[in-house]
Amino acid sequence: MCYGSEFIATAVQKWWGQIGVKTLYIAPGSPWENGYNESFNGSLRDELLNGEIFYSLAEARVLIEAWRRHYNTVRPHSSLGYRPPAPETATPLYPASGSASLHLRPDMAAMGLIH
């Protein structure tokens, strides 16, 4: 049996107690208590997962990494005045479309490799 995550969680909670950090829990079945995470989950589902069928783990890794880069460096976020959270430092070769949907570029598959 593997109890790794339980041991890690116990160790982290013990450490938090030692340094005086208190945790807040959201009630099960209450996604409205964590709006930031739910907003991200909805964007991931709407912009990527609902439109893809992954035929391999490698394909999923490449496409999810490409979406993650797009989400963080190109995609406009309304809460940030329609700017990306971490824009690329160089001017991108492909201008942002202004829409929140993912537009895969031919070179994104090569950029999205995860090792």
Side-chain angles (χ1 to χ4, degrees), residues 8-50:
I8 291 169
T10 302
V12 169
Q13 288 176 350
K14 182 179 176 184
W15 173 58
W16 286 343
Q18 291 171 346
I19 61 173
V21 173
K22 296 186 187 235
T23 58
L24 296 174
Y25 296 98
I26 62 171
S30 302
W32 54 85
E33 292 184 39
N34 192 351
Y36 295 110
N37 190 49
E38 292 303 316
S39 176
F40 173 80
N41 289 344
S43 296
L44 176 63
R45 177 144 316 274
D46 292 344
E47 297 171 19
L48 178 68
L49 300 178
N50 285 343

Side-chain angles (χ1 to χ4, degrees), residues 11-111:
V12 169
Q13 288 176 350
K14 182 179 176 184
W15 173 58
W16 286 343
Q18 291 171 346
I19 61 173
V21 173
K22 296 186 187 235
T23 58
L24 296 174
Y25 296 98
I26 62 171
S30 302
W32 54 85
E33 292 184 39
N34 192 351
Y36 295 110
N37 190 49
E38 292 303 316
S39 176
F40 173 80
N41 289 344
S43 296
L44 176 63
R45 177 144 316 274
D46 292 344
E47 297 171 19
L48 178 68
L49 300 178
N50 285 343
E52 294 291 339
I53 296 174
F54 302 114
Y55 293 101
S56 70
L57 182 57
E59 180 186 15
R61 285 180 174 155
V62 168
L63 291 175
I64 292 168
E65 176 62 13
W67 181 84
R68 184 193 66 80
R69 287 177 185 234
H70 176 83
Y71 183 86
N72 287 323
T73 61
V74 177
R75 180 190 181 275
H77 293 244
S78 61
S79 64
L80 301 174
Y82 295 94
R83 295 176 311 211
E88 296 181 39
T89 56
T91 304
L93 296 174
Y94 305 94
S97 67
S99 72
S101 63
L102 172 64
H103 300 283
L104 285 177
R105 305 181 320 234
D107 62 333
M108 286 182 93
M111 294 182 340

